Amino acid sequence: TVASNGVLNINSSIFKDLDCPLTNAGTVVWSGSGLLRVIYSPPYSYGAIYNLAGRLFNIQGEPTLIAYTGNEVFNNAGTLRKSAGSGVMQVPMEFDNTGSVEADTGTISFQGIYSGNASANLAILLGGAAPGSGYGKISFSTPLSFDGTLTVSTRNGYLPNPGATFQVLNYPSSTNSFTCLRGLDLGGGILLQPQFSPTSLT
């Protein structure tokens, strides 16, 4: 358990196992390109990740989560943020989101079942026209049920040129709709217009 005033730094390019629940009530900073295998295999291993409300799980780079049995879960009531690295951060396990997923840069790829609710927030940061390095993306390998909020913000005063496009979400199919689209008016006469296709949001 990471206490409310605690910070857990994971900085490695090697393979690690998580055999017990990791409960974050503070801050987790995971950098590098290492592998973290979460193992839920009772009665010996009860690996799972719980990011509590108001807390931060910060990804800095392209590390990879691995699900060992398929019963592993990442329960996010706080903020999962990818703040560095232009590549892909893979989340292959069930991901239950009642908090916020923020792609500042690179791609967060949910390869297991993703579920959200009315309080869930998907957030994208725009800082340039190039996918990955200029702006973040979120991809889903299973059908996505839209719910909650989509939030767009910019960094360092960035304003895109008129006509610029940003494909920020990818999914095999989708149902429902977001309750709220926030941050689309960037100021300076620039207004983002969401375009939903059967497999993406641009």
Side-chain angles (χ1 to χ4, degrees):
T1 299
V2 183
S4 60
N5 60 345
V7 179
L8 171 64
N9 289 296
I10 307 172
N11 186 352
S12 175
S13 59
I14 63 174
F15 191 96
K16 297 177 182 292
D17 280 338
L18 178 65
D19 292 301
C20 59
L22 169 59
T23 301
N24 178 37
T27 300
V28 174
V29 179
W30 188 10
S31 58
S33 58
L35 303 174
L36 181 63
R37 181 172 63 178
V38 182
I39 303 175
Y40 182 86
S41 183
Y44 306 106
S45 300
Y46 292 87
I49 299 175
Y50 300 96
N51 192 37
L52 302 184
R55 307 309 175 183
L56 176 62
F57 201 102
N58 190 7
I59 307 297
Q60 299 178 344
E62 279 72 51
T64 298
L65 284 169
I66 297 176
Y68 182 68
T69 65
N71 296 311
E72 291 76 18
V73 65
F74 193 128
N75 189 298
N76 180 54
T79 297
L80 172 68
R81 176 183 298 150
K82 189 177 189 305
S83 63
S86 59
V88 179
M89 160 63 182
Q90 299 179 11
V91 184
M93 63 190 62
E94 179 181 343
F95 191 91
D96 297 328
N97 185 33
T98 57
S100 183
V101 173
E102 299 182 6
D104 294 354
T105 183
T107 300
I108 301 174
S109 177
F110 293 107
Q111 298 172 330
I113 296 173
Y114 170 91
S115 61
N117 65 7
S119 65
N121 178 48
L122 299 179
I124 300 296
L125 183 66
L126 303 181
S133 58
Y135 65 94
K137 302 177 66 175
I138 306 174
S139 67
F140 304 85
S141 293
T142 59
L144 177 61
S145 177
F146 290 117
D147 204 349
T149 301
L150 173 75
T151 301
V152 180
S153 57
T154 61
R155 64 172 179 262
N156 301 326
Y158 173 71
L159 279 179
N161 293 321
T165 59
F166 309 88
Q167 190 177 98
V168 295
L169 299 184
N170 293 97
Y171 38 83
S173 63
S174 66
T175 55
N176 300 324
S177 61
F178 287 113
T179 304
C180 178
L181 299 173
R182 181 182 297 148
L184 300 185
D185 187 350
L186 302 183
I190 302 297
L191 179 68
L192 297 174
Q193 296 180 326
Q195 303 292 323
F196 290 88
S197 83
T199 60
S200 67
L201 168 60
T202 300

PDB file of all heavy atoms in Angstrom, residues 2 10 15 27 29 39 48 67 70 81 91 110 115 139 150 161 183 196:
ATOM      1  N   VAL A   2       0.588   2.154  -0.936  1.00  0.00           N
ATOM      2  CA  VAL A   2       1.274   3.445  -0.969  1.00  0.00           C
ATOM      3  C   VAL A   2       0.424   4.427  -0.165  1.00  0.00           C
ATOM      4  O   VAL A   2      -0.733   4.674  -0.507  1.00  0.00           O
ATOM      5  CB  VAL A   2       1.456   3.946  -2.418  1.00  0.00           C
ATOM      6  CG1 VAL A   2       2.237   5.256  -2.428  1.00  0.00           C
ATOM      7  CG2 VAL A   2       2.165   2.902  -3.263  1.00  0.00           C
ATOM      8  N   ILE A  10       8.842   3.112  -9.740  1.00  0.00           N
ATOM      9  CA  ILE A  10       9.227   1.878 -10.423  1.00  0.00           C
ATOM     10  C   ILE A  10      10.018   2.307 -11.653  1.00  0.00           C
ATOM     11  O   ILE A  10       9.470   2.894 -12.578  1.00  0.00           O
ATOM     12  CB  ILE A  10       7.997   1.044 -10.841  1.00  0.00           C
ATOM     13  CG1 ILE A  10       7.079   0.792  -9.649  1.00  0.00           C
ATOM     14  CG2 ILE A  10       8.435  -0.275 -11.470  1.00  0.00           C
ATOM     15  CD1 ILE A  10       5.753   0.142 -10.013  1.00  0.00           C
ATOM     16  N   PHE A  15      12.116  -7.477 -15.928  1.00  0.00           N
ATOM     17  CA  PHE A  15      10.840  -8.154 -15.688  1.00  0.00           C
ATOM     18  C   PHE A  15      10.580  -8.232 -14.191  1.00  0.00           C
ATOM     19  O   PHE A  15      11.452  -8.615 -13.419  1.00  0.00           O
ATOM     20  CB  PHE A  15      10.928  -9.553 -16.296  1.00  0.00           C
ATOM     21  CG  PHE A  15       9.621 -10.291 -16.359  1.00  0.00           C
ATOM     22  CD1 PHE A  15       8.867 -10.271 -17.523  1.00  0.00           C
ATOM     23  CD2 PHE A  15       9.150 -10.997 -15.277  1.00  0.00           C
ATOM     24  CE1 PHE A  15       7.660 -10.955 -17.591  1.00  0.00           C
ATOM     25  CE2 PHE A  15       7.958 -11.681 -15.338  1.00  0.00           C
ATOM     26  CZ  PHE A  15       7.210 -11.662 -16.501  1.00  0.00           C
ATOM     27  N   THR A  27       1.030   8.283  -4.777  1.00  0.00           N
ATOM     28  CA  THR A  27       1.474   8.462  -6.156  1.00  0.00           C
ATOM     29  C   THR A  27       2.357   7.292  -6.562  1.00  0.00           C
ATOM     30  O   THR A  27       3.246   6.888  -5.806  1.00  0.00           O
ATOM     31  CB  THR A  27       2.274   9.767  -6.327  1.00  0.00           C
ATOM     32  OG1 THR A  27       1.463  10.880  -5.965  1.00  0.00           O
ATOM     33  CG2 THR A  27       2.747   9.944  -7.766  1.00  0.00           C
ATOM     34  N   VAL A  29       4.882   6.327  -9.767  1.00  0.00           N
ATOM     35  CA  VAL A  29       5.551   6.806 -10.975  1.00  0.00           C
ATOM     36  C   VAL A  29       6.292   5.623 -11.585  1.00  0.00           C
ATOM     37  O   VAL A  29       7.202   5.061 -10.976  1.00  0.00           O
ATOM     38  CB  VAL A  29       6.539   7.946 -10.672  1.00  0.00           C
ATOM     39  CG1 VAL A  29       7.232   8.403 -11.959  1.00  0.00           C
ATOM     40  CG2 VAL A  29       5.820   9.117 -10.015  1.00  0.00           C
ATOM     41  N   ILE A  39      -0.123 -11.160 -11.196  1.00  0.00           N
ATOM     42  CA  ILE A  39      -0.496 -12.571 -11.068  1.00  0.00           C
ATOM     43  C   ILE A  39      -1.627 -12.716 -10.061  1.00  0.00           C
ATOM     44  O   ILE A  39      -1.455 -12.448  -8.865  1.00  0.00           O
ATOM     45  CB  ILE A  39       0.707 -13.432 -10.640  1.00  0.00           C
ATOM     46  CG1 ILE A  39       1.861 -13.274 -11.636  1.00  0.00           C
ATOM     47  CG2 ILE A  39       0.298 -14.899 -10.517  1.00  0.00           C
ATOM     48  CD1 ILE A  39       3.131 -14.007 -11.225  1.00  0.00           C
ATOM     49  N   ALA A  48      -3.306  -7.533  -8.118  1.00  0.00           N
ATOM     50  CA  ALA A  48      -4.288  -6.600  -8.690  1.00  0.00           C
ATOM     51  C   ALA A  48      -3.774  -5.198  -8.408  1.00  0.00           C
ATOM     52  O   ALA A  48      -2.919  -4.997  -7.550  1.00  0.00           O
ATOM     53  CB  ALA A  48      -5.666  -6.797  -8.074  1.00  0.00           C
ATOM     54  N   ALA A  67      -0.921  -9.712 -17.929  1.00  0.00           N
ATOM     55  CA  ALA A  67      -1.876 -10.470 -17.119  1.00  0.00           C
ATOM     56  C   ALA A  67      -1.519 -11.943 -17.189  1.00  0.00           C
ATOM     57  O   ALA A  67      -1.348 -12.491 -18.277  1.00  0.00           O
ATOM     58  CB  ALA A  67      -3.294 -10.238 -17.625  1.00  0.00           C
ATOM     59  N   GLY A  70      -5.510 -14.039 -16.714  1.00  0.00           N
ATOM     60  CA  GLY A  70      -6.698 -13.452 -17.325  1.00  0.00           C
ATOM     61  C   GLY A  70      -7.719 -12.985 -16.321  1.00  0.00           C
ATOM     62  O   GLY A  70      -8.745 -12.399 -16.694  1.00  0.00           O
ATOM     63  N   ARG A  81      -2.286   8.343 -15.869  1.00  0.00           N
ATOM     64  CA  ARG A  81      -1.777   9.352 -16.814  1.00  0.00           C
ATOM     65  C   ARG A  81      -0.519   8.838 -17.499  1.00  0.00           C
ATOM     66  O   ARG A  81       0.381   8.300 -16.847  1.00  0.00           O
ATOM     67  CB  ARG A  81      -1.462  10.641 -16.076  1.00  0.00           C
ATOM     68  CG  ARG A  81      -0.826  11.737 -16.929  1.00  0.00           C
ATOM     69  CD  ARG A  81      -0.492  12.955 -16.086  1.00  0.00           C
ATOM     70  NE  ARG A  81      -1.709  13.517 -15.509  1.00  0.00           N
ATOM     71  CZ  ARG A  81      -1.727  14.172 -14.335  1.00  0.00           C
ATOM     72  NH1 ARG A  81      -0.623  14.314 -13.629  1.00  0.00           N
ATOM     73  NH2 ARG A  81      -2.872  14.663 -13.876  1.00  0.00           N
ATOM     74  N   VAL A  91      -2.080  -2.171 -21.667  1.00  0.00           N
ATOM     75  CA  VAL A  91      -2.830  -2.602 -20.479  1.00  0.00           C
ATOM     76  C   VAL A  91      -3.663  -3.808 -20.898  1.00  0.00           C
ATOM     77  O   VAL A  91      -4.769  -3.662 -21.416  1.00  0.00           O
ATOM     78  CB  VAL A  91      -3.729  -1.475 -19.939  1.00  0.00           C
ATOM     79  CG1 VAL A  91      -4.427  -1.921 -18.654  1.00  0.00           C
ATOM     80  CG2 VAL A  91      -2.923  -0.199 -19.693  1.00  0.00           C
ATOM     81  N   PHE A 110      -5.698  -0.279 -24.311  1.00  0.00           N
ATOM     82  CA  PHE A 110      -6.430  -1.229 -23.471  1.00  0.00           C
ATOM     83  C   PHE A 110      -6.708  -2.479 -24.298  1.00  0.00           C
ATOM     84  O   PHE A 110      -7.539  -2.460 -25.208  1.00  0.00           O
ATOM     85  CB  PHE A 110      -7.727  -0.608 -22.964  1.00  0.00           C
ATOM     86  CG  PHE A 110      -7.513   0.528 -22.010  1.00  0.00           C
ATOM     87  CD1 PHE A 110      -7.747   1.834 -22.406  1.00  0.00           C
ATOM     88  CD2 PHE A 110      -7.063   0.290 -20.726  1.00  0.00           C
ATOM     89  CE1 PHE A 110      -7.542   2.887 -21.541  1.00  0.00           C
ATOM     90  CE2 PHE A 110      -6.841   1.334 -19.844  1.00  0.00           C
ATOM     91  CZ  PHE A 110      -7.083   2.636 -20.253  1.00  0.00           C
ATOM     92  N   SER A 115     -14.178  -0.999 -18.940  1.00  0.00           N
ATOM     93  CA  SER A 115     -15.523  -0.577 -18.543  1.00  0.00           C
ATOM     94  C   SER A 115     -15.424   0.764 -17.828  1.00  0.00           C
ATOM     95  O   SER A 115     -14.500   1.010 -17.055  1.00  0.00           O
ATOM     96  CB  SER A 115     -16.191  -1.615 -17.632  1.00  0.00           C
ATOM     97  OG  SER A 115     -15.442  -1.793 -16.438  1.00  0.00           O
ATOM     98  N   SER A 139      -6.498   3.724 -27.221  1.00  0.00           N
ATOM     99  CA  SER A 139      -7.059   2.693 -28.101  1.00  0.00           C
ATOM    100  C   SER A 139      -7.653   1.571 -27.267  1.00  0.00           C
ATOM    101  O   SER A 139      -7.221   1.307 -26.141  1.00  0.00           O
ATOM    102  CB  SER A 139      -5.991   2.151 -29.056  1.00  0.00           C
ATOM    103  OG  SER A 139      -5.006   1.428 -28.352  1.00  0.00           O
ATOM    104  N   LEU A 150     -15.505  13.177 -22.173  1.00  0.00           N
ATOM    105  CA  LEU A 150     -14.283  13.304 -22.955  1.00  0.00           C
ATOM    106  C   LEU A 150     -13.770  14.720 -22.760  1.00  0.00           C
ATOM    107  O   LEU A 150     -14.502  15.693 -22.993  1.00  0.00           O
ATOM    108  CB  LEU A 150     -14.532  13.052 -24.440  1.00  0.00           C
ATOM    109  CG  LEU A 150     -13.320  13.326 -25.347  1.00  0.00           C
ATOM    110  CD1 LEU A 150     -12.291  12.214 -25.197  1.00  0.00           C
ATOM    111  CD2 LEU A 150     -13.731  13.465 -26.808  1.00  0.00           C
ATOM    112  N   ASN A 161      -3.781  24.647 -36.368  1.00  0.00           N
ATOM    113  CA  ASN A 161      -4.193  25.381 -37.562  1.00  0.00           C
ATOM    114  C   ASN A 161      -5.603  24.956 -37.961  1.00  0.00           C
ATOM    115  O   ASN A 161      -5.994  23.791 -37.769  1.00  0.00           O
ATOM    116  CB  ASN A 161      -3.234  25.117 -38.714  1.00  0.00           C
ATOM    117  CG  ASN A 161      -1.855  25.681 -38.459  1.00  0.00           C
ATOM    118  OD1 ASN A 161      -1.711  26.764 -37.901  1.00  0.00           O
ATOM    119  ND2 ASN A 161      -0.826  24.940 -38.856  1.00  0.00           N
ATOM    120  N   GLY A 183     -13.898  21.096 -23.213  1.00  0.00           N
ATOM    121  CA  GLY A 183     -12.643  21.671 -23.668  1.00  0.00           C
ATOM    122  C   GLY A 183     -12.526  21.823 -25.170  1.00  0.00           C
ATOM    123  O   GLY A 183     -11.416  22.030 -25.679  1.00  0.00           O
ATOM    124  N   PHE A 196     -17.223  11.248 -35.135  1.00  0.00           N
ATOM    125  CA  PHE A 196     -17.287   9.845 -34.710  1.00  0.00           C
ATOM    126  C   PHE A 196     -17.475   8.971 -35.945  1.00  0.00           C
ATOM    127  O   PHE A 196     -18.402   9.179 -36.735  1.00  0.00           O
ATOM    128  CB  PHE A 196     -18.440   9.611 -33.747  1.00  0.00           C
ATOM    129  CG  PHE A 196     -18.242  10.246 -32.389  1.00  0.00           C
ATOM    130  CD1 PHE A 196     -18.650  11.557 -32.155  1.00  0.00           C
ATOM    131  CD2 PHE A 196     -17.663   9.524 -31.362  1.00  0.00           C
ATOM    132  CE1 PHE A 196     -18.478  12.142 -30.915  1.00  0.00           C
ATOM    133  CE2 PHE A 196     -17.486  10.101 -30.110  1.00  0.00           C
ATOM    134  CZ  PHE A 196     -17.891  11.412 -29.880  1.00  0.00           C
TER     135      PHE A 196
END
